[in-house]
Amino acid sequence: MAFVLPALPYPHDALEPHIDTMTLEIHHGKHHNTYVTNLNKALEPYPELQKLTLEQVLADKCAKVPEAARQAVIGNGGGTWNHNLYWVVMGPKCGGEPSGKLAEAVKSTFGGFAGLKEKMIDAGLKRLGSGWSWLAKTKDGKLEVYSTLNHDSPIMEGKTPIFVIDVWEHAYYLKYQNRRGDYLNAIWNVVNWKEVEKRFAQ
Ligand code: MN
């Protein structure tokens, strides 16, 4: 098996009350785990692809993946990669605002933290069905916010995501039901800005 489910970097109850324990247990242990399992299944006939990193498999919209497996790899490989990022850009005793160079970029692109927050919440609310709201670093070191559908990942288009919010219903429905906006507002209490800043600096 080429790819493994990374351990959650904190206990399941660590993000309470903003992200509840049962959601984290099911989201990480079942949903994310299923994407990893199905990615491995899709790659089973292709040992040469199993030697690559996940980023290499996903590059150029999975151009290296034979047509027969491509949709499965876009969905499950994207699902795997996106969740890998989602868990590490959250954490206990986090929240607040970005600092340093990232704070400067947020100020120049969005007018400040409130502007960034508004943009990402808006992108998440406008994404019909399932998807992700992203903050990414552009090639010239600036910032952009956009959303993607299902598990489409900016990694497939050579972009550099540094923060993400999962807006699939499975990310919030147990606690917030239909109130996606409440979840999108609450998540800022658990953003691990140190991790986001690290990704921005790379
Ligand atoms: Mn998810």
Side-chain angles (χ1 to χ4, degrees):
M1 285 305 208
F3 296 103
V4 293
L5 178 72
L8 201 62
Y10 34 78
H12 289 108
D13 62 357
L15 307 184
E16 290 271 10
H18 311 291
I19 312 277
D20 63 289
T21 305
M22 192 189 278
T23 294
L24 267 198
E25 284 168 357
I26 297 173
H27 195 176
H28 176 261
K30 307 289 183 192
H31 289 281
H32 191 183
N33 193 40
T34 301
Y35 299 130
V36 178
T37 303
N38 289 340
L39 169 65
N40 285 328
K41 260 187 215 154
L43 292 178
E44 235 165 45
Y46 313 107
E48 71 283 4
L49 293 179
Q50 294 171 22
K51 292 182 199 126
L52 303 177
T53 64
L54 184 52
E55 287 80 3
Q56 289 169 331
V57 171
L58 297 177
D60 304 317
K61 295 184 183 158
C62 301
K64 294 183 197 72
V65 180
E67 185 101 29
R70 195 170 300 145
Q71 277 313 312
V73 172
I74 288 174
N76 293 293
T80 297
W81 195 94
N82 297 353
H83 285 96
N84 289 353
L85 177 64
Y86 179 63
W87 305 129
V88 298
V89 293
M90 295 189 292
K93 300 193 182 91
C94 287
E97 299 191 11
S99 59
K101 290 239 180 314
L102 179 60
E104 287 167 27
V106 165
K107 193 165 195 309
S108 71
T109 312
F110 307 108
F113 176 62
L116 164 66
K117 208 170 137 177
E118 192 188 319
K119 271 252 178 203
M120 283 195 77
I121 291 172
D122 188 58
L125 284 173
K126 284 184 178 150
R127 169 53 58 196
L128 290 177
S130 300
W132 299 79
S133 177
W134 300 93
L135 175 65
K137 183 182 172 183
T138 63
K139 289 203 165 46
D140 52 359
K142 296 205 167 75
L143 292 168
E144 57 180 344
V145 165
Y146 50 87
S147 73
T148 57
L149 179 66
N150 295 327
H151 284 323
D152 288 354
S153 181
I155 279 291
M156 298 174 193
E157 301 181 17
K159 295 192 170 186
T160 308
I162 61 171
F163 173 60
V164 69
I165 306 174
D166 187 343
V167 294
W168 283 57
E169 280 187 346
H170 69 222
Y172 62 86
Y173 208 84
L174 291 177
K175 182 178 172 75
Y176 297 98
Q177 292 86 45
N178 59 309
R179 303 184 309 277
R180 184 187 283 189
D182 288 0
Y183 158 72
L184 281 166
N185 272 288
I187 200 164
W188 302 94
N189 293 296
V190 294
V191 177
N192 185 344
W193 287 114
K194 287 285 158 261
E195 276 298 323
V196 182
E197 284 161 21
K198 199 174 87 189
R199 282 167 171 73
F200 182 68
Q202 275 162 11

